[in-house]
Every structure is written in C-alpha cells, then in structure tokens.
Amino acid sequence: MQVYKFGGASVKDAKAIKNVAKIVSGVQEQLCVVVSAMGKTTNALEILHDQWFKNLSFEETLQSISDFHLSISNELELEINNCLWKQQIQTLEDKLNTISKVSFDNSYDQIIPFGEIISTSLLHDYWNKIALNHQFIMATDFVITDNLHRESRVQWSTTQSKIIDLKNNTNVLLTQGFIGSTASGEWTTLGREGSDYSASIFAHCLDANQLTIWKDVPGMLNADPKKQSDAQIIDKISYQEAIELAYYGASVIHPKTIQPLESKNISLRIASFVNPQLPGTLIGHFPGLHYPSCYIEKENQTLISISTKDFSFVVEDNIVEIFHHLHQLGIKVQLMENSALSFTLCIQCEPHKLQALITALENKYAIRYNEGVKLLTIRHYHASDLMKMENQSVLMEQKNRTTVRWVIQ
Ligand code: ASP
Ligand code: MG
C-alpha cells in the first residue's frame, strides 16, 4: 500500500488536476490518495466564515469560491448537473443558512472542511469521467478526533479501528486531508496545513510502505529558494532531523507528519509533481548522516516581554500563569527566555489573540511587545553564518551546538 498526498498547489487548476490523474494512474500497487483544498480555497473559506460569523454579507465570497471551481470544472469538461462538487457547494450554502453560531472555532470546523470536500468531489467527478477506478471516502468517517476545534487531536485507537476496514480495498481510495470528526460526528480540523498529517495518519493505520508528499519543489531544500538562490536539495534525511526542521518552521512538511510514520518505519518521500521522475528527498531511519546548514525563516512573529510591576521576580508560578493563558488561547510559542524580572516570548498568533493575551495579563504585568519581527533558525550552522548576523538588529539570540536562533527586527 502506498499513500500519496497532493496539496493545494498540485490541484490549483485543470492542468494540475490532469497531472495528478496521470501520476495516480501510473501506480500498480494499492493506493490511498489524500488531497487538500484547491489553490488558496482555504483562505477564501476563512474569509467566508469570518463574514458569516460577524453577520456580514458573505454571498459574494461564496460565489467566488463556486466560480473558481466552476471554471476548473468547465475546463475539465465535466457535466455540471451530475457533479458531486456542485452538490457540496449547495450543502455548504445550506449549512451557512441553517447552523447556529456556537463558537468561532467550532463553526470554523463546520465550514472550512468544504475546501477539501469540494476539491476531492471535483477530483471524483473528473476521475469518473476518465474512468479512473476509485472509491471516494469521507475522511470525517475515518479520522476520529477530540473536540479541540481547529487543532483537534487524533483518537488513535478509534481511528485505527475504522481505517483498518479500508485495508483490503483494491480500488484507489480518494479522501480529504486536514479534516476529521469527533466520535459523535461533529466535524473537526487538524490545524492549518494539516493535510500532510492526515496522509501520515492514513499511512500509519493502513500499514503503508511509503507516503509520498507531492510538492511544487523538487524535495526538501536547505533554504527557501526564493530567498537563497544556492538552496540545495537534501537527498536523504533522518526522521529526527526532519522533525527538528519541521518544528523550527521548515514549511515543507507539517510538524506532526513524521511521528506516525516513524513508529511504523514507513518512509516518507517528498517528490515534485512537476518532475515526478526525480528522486526527491527520502526520510527514514538514517543514522549518522551529515547535513548542510539549513536556514528557516519565519516572518510575522511577535516578541512579547512580560514583567512584574512591583520588581518581584518572575518565578515558576508566574510562568505557569502565563502558559495557562497561552494554552487557553492556543498561541504557539516559538522561543522563550527569562530573566529576574521578565519573561520574553517569541510567539506567532492572530492579532485578536495577542490582544486577548495582553488583556489577560496586563493587570498584573507590564507588557511590551514588538510585532512583525522575524525568527531565523539555522540548523548545523557554521562560523560564517554567525558572522553574517553581525550587522543585523538582533533582539534575541539562542544558540546550542547544532542550532542557532535569532529574533530580528
Ligand atoms: N487546506 C488546508 C490549509 O490550507 C489544509 C492543507 O492544505 O494542508 O491549511
Ligand atoms: Mg491548503
């Protein structure tokens, strides 16, 4: 069994969808195909949900989402009246008109999954047209999670017992990334860019030999090629190193992807859907490899410094309190440092969450913060990397034997 994951860019237009069908048709083994929303549809759905949640008019946004898929559908010459994707748009519209606003995160999970559902439905319509034998399944029937909406955690034993039923299926399975549901059937999502993780969940539960993530880059690179023209492909990388890179923000794979694969020794291949014949990057149990310097930049971070107002030390109970709020608000901490009187964190969050954090803490603490800062991480750094930083405005630095991290203005 093989699992293939196709992200938004690999299904962004009719040409890309034909290319996916070509890649899938070439596979002789049993195959499970996990697909994301097309192009930037998830962002559009987030806008739609936002408007709907604020009781603003959302019809135009809905129409543009529908039009985007319609133009792809027309280019693929699908018979619109028989299309499953078109029915899904209708279901989305019905839902917007009927469901109640429970909480922002809960209703997010009832709306945003339509990106993946419409995308896979359109693929299903096209695969039917070209007679690519397959079975369309709803990931929400198989990936069971808790109800921590927008960041839901997989309930492994239930998920495993559901997915096991798919193991003997000889058809190509076609399903959605990013989405799941609670045991009681309420939809959930696994966090933005979570489709890689979904593919890894399916690979784990299906005992796949390999998971291939098809990307628009030729493999895992040691830097962003848009920022560094000499970025190079890493042919082979250990699970551990891949987790570290993903953790520090290398956006090529979702950080949670590796663990379910590692525990069953399932290799992960990052390959290019533009040049499918190239080897790409292979991730597995490869001890003792040497790596080049790997550069990871994260823009749009906030550096926030939290100090006591009365000159008392910031001690464990203050830190517990601060983390309680961070956890409640679902804010991710990238880097932290404490001194006698203050605790400084580099975080990434939406402006309304930053504001909520400040509100929760400002009675007791003095808060200072810098928005829009950059976090640069270098794994396997060299002396020359350190020298390059000398004339930058560094707000915070952390360094150990393998990794150096800077928050830069
Ligand atoms: N469509 C979702 C997102 O854009 C999930 C994914 O692409 O992995 O975040
Ligand atoms: Mg996406």
Side-chain angles (χ1 to χ4, degrees), residues 4 23 210 212-221 233-235 269-282:
Y4 279 6
I23 293 174
Q210 190 170 66
T212 304
I213 297 184
W214 295 93
K215 310 261 324 174
D216 55 1
V217 288
M220 234 169 154
L221 299 162
I233 298 178
I234 311 173
D235 304 331
R269 189 176 155 229
I270 313 286
S272 156
F273 59 77
V274 186
N275 292 303
Q277 71 291 348
L278 295 181
T281 296
L282 196 65

Side-chain angles (χ1 to χ4, degrees), residues 5 8 36-37 42-43 116 178 191-196:
K5 182 261 172 171
S36 302
T42 304
N43 293 352
E116 272 63 20
F178 178 58
R192 283 301 307 259
E193 307 303 326
S195 293
D196 293 350

Side-chain angles (χ1 to χ4, degrees), residues 178-189:
F178 178 58
I179 67 174
S181 81
T182 63
S184 62
E186 189 176 60
W187 289 356
T188 55
T189 57

Side-chain angles (χ1 to χ4, degrees), residues 297-301 372-376 406-409:
E297 276 184 41
K298 296 192 90 176
E299 314 262 354
N300 263 323
Q301 309 291 306
V373 298
K374 184 161 89 180
L375 176 61
L376 173 63
W406 292 288
V407 177
I408 307 164
Q409 182 88 60

Side-chain angles (χ1 to χ4, degrees), residues 34 65 115 196 225 241 272 291 298 387 405:
V34 178
I65 292 171
D196 293 350
E241 185 60 24
S272 156
Y291 300 102
K298 296 192 90 176
M387 267 151 63
R405 310 189 81 191

Side-chain angles (χ1 to χ4, degrees), residues 6-276:
F6 291 98
S10 58
V11 289
K12 70 177 196 307
D13 54 29
K15 189 173 157 232
I17 291 170
K18 287 183 182 168
N19 183 45
V20 165
K22 195 171 156 214
I23 293 174
V24 168
S25 325
V27 180
Q28 308 302 333
E29 273 177 80
Q30 268 182 298
L31 181 66
C32 172
V33 180
V34 178
V35 185
S36 302
M38 292 179 174
K40 303 273 178 243
T41 304
T42 304
N43 293 352
L45 281 162
E46 284 189 344
I47 294 169
L48 173 76
H49 170 254
D50 223 53
Q51 291 167 333
W52 171 85
F53 196 80
K54 292 176 179 151
N55 294 320
L56 300 171
S57 109
F58 58 80
E59 285 72 14
E60 221 172 281
T61 315
L62 180 61
Q63 190 60 49
S64 73
I65 292 171
S66 178
D67 290 348
F68 169 66
H69 291 90
L70 181 62
S71 73
I72 294 177
S73 175
N74 286 342
E75 213 180 316
L76 294 170
E77 295 174 3
L78 301 179
E79 182 52 64
I80 190 72
N81 294 327
N82 302 330
C83 277
L84 179 62
W85 79 262
K86 190 69 192 159
Q87 288 172 35
Q88 307 288 13
I89 295 267
Q90 189 56 52
T91 313
L92 166 60
E93 189 174 351
D94 294 346
K95 241 184 167 176
L96 290 165
N97 289 319
T98 52
I99 61 170
S100 49
K101 299 179 174 73
V102 188
S103 72
F104 187 89
D105 288 355
N106 184 317
S107 65
Y108 180 102
D109 279 358
Q110 311 319 309
I111 304 299
I112 310 302
F114 278 98
E116 272 63 20
I117 294 173
I118 296 166
S119 147
T120 46
S121 298
L122 204 157
L123 252 61
H124 166 72
D125 296 328
Y126 179 61
W127 291 7
N128 279 346
K129 179 185 149 82
I130 61 168
L132 200 171
N133 223 335
H134 70 283
Q135 187 180 340
F136 174 90
I137 58 171
M138 286 288 284
T140 46
D141 293 335
F142 294 92
V143 177
I144 308 304
T145 70
D146 66 5
N147 64 358
L148 187 71
H149 285 287
R150 297 183 67 185
E151 215 41 82
S152 305
R153 290 164 298 202
V154 175
Q155 310 281 289
W156 280 99
S157 58
T158 336
T159 300
Q160 175 70 76
S161 68
K162 302 240 177 210
I163 294 183
I164 207 108
D165 291 341
L166 298 168
K167 249 180 124 168
N168 298 324
N169 206 304
T170 50
N171 264 335
V172 173
L173 298 168
L174 171 62
T175 194
Q176 307 78 29
F178 178 58
I179 67 174
S181 81
T182 63
S184 62
E186 189 176 60
W187 289 356
T188 55
T189 57
L190 305 175
R192 283 301 307 259
E193 307 303 326
S195 293
D196 293 350
Y197 182 42
S198 298
S200 151
I201 295 164
F202 277 99
H204 177 99
C205 295
L206 290 166
D207 286 312
N209 304 328
Q210 190 170 66
L211 163 61
T212 304
I213 297 184
W214 295 93
K215 310 261 324 174
D216 55 1
V217 288
M220 234 169 154
L221 299 162
N222 73 326
D224 181 346
K226 289 183 205 108
K227 291 184 175 134
Q228 267 172 255
S229 55
D230 59 350
Q232 54 186 108
I233 298 178
I234 311 173
D235 304 331
K236 266 186 173 183
I237 171 165
S238 69
Y239 289 122
Q240 195 185 353
E241 185 60 24
I243 290 189
E244 295 284 3
L245 290 175
Y247 169 80
Y248 289 123
S251 57
V252 76
I253 44 171
H254 189 277
K256 287 182 175 171
T257 311
I258 302 292
Q259 194 269 334
L261 303 176
E262 192 274 343
S263 65
K264 286 201 175 170
N265 202 4
I266 300 167
S267 57
L268 169 59
R269 189 176 155 229
I270 313 286
S272 156
F273 59 77
V274 186
N275 292 303

